[in-house]
Coordinates of all heavy atoms in Angstrom, one line a residue:
T107 N -29.4 12.9 10.5 CA -30.4 13.9 11.0 C -29.8 15.3 11.1 O -30.4 16.3 10.8 CB -30.9 13.4 12.4 OG1 -31.4 12.1 12.2 CG2 -31.9 14.3 13.0
L108 N -28.5 15.3 11.6 CA -27.8 16.6 11.7 C -27.6 17.3 10.4 O -27.8 18.5 10.2 CB -26.5 16.5 12.4 CG -26.5 16.3 13.9 CD1 -25.1 15.9 14.4 CD2 -27.1 17.5 14.6
F109 N -27.3 16.4 9.4 CA -27.0 16.9 8.0 C -28.3 17.5 7.4 O -28.3 18.6 6.9 CB -26.5 15.8 7.2 CG -26.1 16.2 5.8 CD1 -24.9 16.9 5.6 CD2 -26.9 16.0 4.7 CE1 -24.5 17.3 4.3 CE2 -26.5 16.4 3.4 CZ -25.3 17.0 3.3
N110 N -29.4 16.8 7.6 CA -30.7 17.3 7.1 C -31.2 18.5 7.8 O -31.8 19.4 7.2 CB -31.8 16.2 7.2 CG -31.6 15.1 6.1 OD1 -31.0 15.4 5.1 ND2 -32.1 13.9 6.4
A111 N -31.0 18.6 9.1 CA -31.4 19.8 9.9 C -30.6 21.0 9.5 O -31.1 22.1 9.4 CB -31.2 19.5 11.4
Q112 N -29.3 20.8 9.2 CA -28.4 22.0 8.8 C -28.6 22.4 7.4 O -28.7 23.5 7.1 CB -27.0 21.6 9.1 CG -26.0 22.7 8.9 CD -25.9 23.6 10.1 OE1 -26.7 23.6 11.0 NE2 -24.9 24.5 10.1
L113 N -28.7 21.4 6.5 CA -28.7 21.7 5.1 C -30.1 21.6 4.4 O -30.3 21.9 3.3 CB -27.8 20.8 4.3 CG -26.3 20.9 4.7 CD1 -25.5 19.9 4.0 CD2 -25.8 22.3 4.5
G114 N -31.1 21.1 5.2 CA -32.4 20.9 4.6 C -32.4 19.6 3.8 O -31.6 18.7 4.0
E115 N -33.3 19.4 2.9 CA -33.4 18.2 2.1 C -32.4 18.1 1.0 O -32.1 17.1 0.5 CB -34.9 18.1 1.5 CG -35.9 17.8 2.6 CD -35.7 16.6 3.4 OE1 -35.3 15.6 2.8 OE2 -35.9 16.6 4.6
G116 N -31.9 19.2 0.5 CA -30.9 19.2 -0.5 C -29.7 20.0 -0.1 O -29.6 20.7 0.9
L117 N -28.7 20.0 -1.0 CA -27.4 20.8 -0.7 C -27.7 22.2 -1.2 O -28.0 22.4 -2.4 CB -26.3 20.1 -1.5 CG -25.9 18.7 -1.0 CD1 -24.7 18.2 -1.9 CD2 -25.4 18.8 0.4
Q118 N -27.5 23.1 -0.3 CA -27.7 24.5 -0.7 C -26.3 25.2 -0.6 O -25.4 24.8 0.1 CB -28.6 25.2 0.3 CG -30.0 24.6 0.4 CD -30.7 25.0 1.6 OE1 -30.2 25.7 2.5 NE2 -32.0 24.7 1.7
E119 N -26.1 26.2 -1.4 CA -24.8 26.9 -1.4 C -24.6 27.7 -0.1 O -25.6 28.2 0.5 CB -24.8 27.9 -2.6 CG -24.7 27.2 -3.9 CD -24.5 28.2 -5.1 OE1 -24.1 29.4 -4.8 OE2 -24.7 27.8 -6.2
G120 N -23.4 27.7 0.4 CA -23.1 28.4 1.6 C -21.9 27.7 2.3 O -21.3 26.8 1.9
T121 N -21.7 28.2 3.5 CA -20.6 27.6 4.4 C -21.3 27.1 5.7 O -22.1 27.8 6.3 CB -19.6 28.7 4.8 OG1 -19.1 29.2 3.5 CG2 -18.5 28.1 5.6
F122 N -21.0 25.9 6.0 CA -21.6 25.2 7.2 C -20.5 24.7 8.0 O -19.4 24.3 7.6 CB -22.6 24.1 6.7 CG -23.6 24.6 5.7 CD1 -23.4 24.5 4.4 CD2 -24.7 25.2 6.2 CE1 -24.3 24.9 3.5 CE2 -25.7 25.7 5.3 CZ -25.5 25.5 3.9
T123 N -20.8 24.6 9.3 CA -19.8 24.1 10.3 C -20.4 22.9 11.1 O -21.5 23.1 11.7 CB -19.3 25.2 11.2 OG1 -18.8 26.2 10.5 CG2 -18.2 24.7 12.2
F124 N -19.7 21.8 11.2 CA -20.1 20.6 12.0 C -18.9 20.3 12.9 O -18.0 19.6 12.5 CB -20.4 19.4 11.1 CG -21.5 19.6 10.2 CD1 -21.3 19.8 8.8 CD2 -22.8 19.5 10.6 CE1 -22.4 19.9 7.9 CE2 -23.9 19.6 9.8 CZ -23.7 19.8 8.4
G125 N -18.9 20.9 14.1 CA -17.8 20.6 15.0 C -16.5 21.2 14.4 O -16.4 22.4 14.2
T126 N -15.5 20.4 14.1 CA -14.3 20.9 13.6 C -14.3 20.8 12.1 O -13.3 21.2 11.4 CB -13.1 20.1 14.1 OG1 -13.2 18.7 13.7 CG2 -12.9 20.2 15.6
L127 N -15.4 20.4 11.5 CA -15.4 20.3 10.0 C -16.1 21.5 9.4 O -17.2 21.9 9.9 CB -16.2 19.0 9.5 CG -15.5 17.7 9.8 CD1 -16.4 16.6 9.3 CD2 -14.2 17.6 9.1
S128 N -15.6 22.1 8.4 CA -16.2 23.3 7.8 C -16.5 22.9 6.3 O -15.6 22.5 5.6 CB -15.2 24.5 7.8 OG -15.7 25.5 7.1
L129 N -17.7 23.0 5.9 CA -18.2 22.7 4.6 C -18.5 23.9 3.8 O -19.2 24.8 4.3 CB -19.4 21.8 4.6 CG -19.3 20.3 4.7 CD1 -18.8 19.9 6.0 CD2 -20.6 19.7 4.3
E130 N -17.9 24.0 2.6 CA -18.2 25.2 1.7 C -18.8 24.6 0.5 O -18.2 23.7 -0.2 CB -16.9 25.9 1.4 CG -17.2 27.1 0.5 CD -15.9 27.8 0.0 OE1 -14.8 27.3 0.3 OE2 -16.0 28.8 -0.6
I131 N -20.0 24.9 0.1 CA -20.7 24.4 -1.0 C -21.0 25.5 -2.0 O -21.6 26.6 -1.6 CB -22.1 23.7 -0.6 CG1 -21.7 22.6 0.5 CG2 -22.8 23.2 -1.8 CD1 -23.0 22.0 1.1
F132 N -20.6 25.4 -3.2 CA -20.9 26.4 -4.3 C -21.0 25.7 -5.6 O -20.6 24.6 -5.8 CB -19.9 27.5 -4.3 CG -18.5 27.0 -4.6 CD1 -18.0 27.0 -5.9 CD2 -17.6 26.6 -3.6 CE1 -16.7 26.6 -6.1 CE2 -16.4 26.2 -3.8 CZ -15.9 26.1 -5.1
D133 N -21.7 26.4 -6.5 CA -21.9 25.9 -7.9 C -20.8 26.5 -8.8 O -20.5 27.6 -8.7 CB -23.3 26.3 -8.4 CG -23.8 25.4 -9.5 OD1 -23.1 24.4 -9.8 OD2 -24.8 25.8 -10.2
S134 N -20.3 25.6 -9.7 CA -19.3 26.1 -10.6 C -19.6 25.5 -12.0 O -20.6 24.8 -12.2 CB -17.9 25.6 -10.2 OG -17.7 24.2 -10.3
A135 N -18.7 25.8 -13.0 CA -18.9 25.3 -14.3 C -18.8 23.8 -14.4 O -19.4 23.1 -15.2 CB -17.9 26.0 -15.3
E136 N -18.0 23.2 -13.5 CA -17.8 21.8 -13.5 C -19.0 21.0 -12.8 O -19.2 19.9 -13.0 CB -16.5 21.4 -12.7 CG -15.2 21.9 -13.4 CD -14.0 21.7 -12.5 OE1 -14.2 21.4 -11.3 OE2 -12.9 21.8 -13.0
G137 N -19.7 21.7 -11.9 CA -20.8 21.1 -11.2 C -20.8 21.7 -9.8 O -20.3 22.7 -9.5
L138 N -21.5 21.0 -8.9 CA -21.6 21.4 -7.5 C -20.3 21.0 -6.8 O -19.9 19.8 -6.8 CB -22.8 20.7 -6.9 CG -23.1 21.1 -5.5 CD1 -23.6 22.6 -5.5 CD2 -24.2 20.3 -4.9

Side-chain angles (χ1 to χ4, degrees):
T107 303
L108 285 173
F109 187 78
N110 285 337
Q112 185 81 347
L113 299 176
E115 291 301 317
L117 295 176
Q118 303 165 351
E119 292 187 14
T121 303
F122 306 96
T123 303
F124 298 104
T126 61
L127 293 178
S128 174
L129 272 69
E130 180 185 9
I131 303 172
F132 61 92
D133 200 12
S134 71
E136 297 174 345
L138 188 65

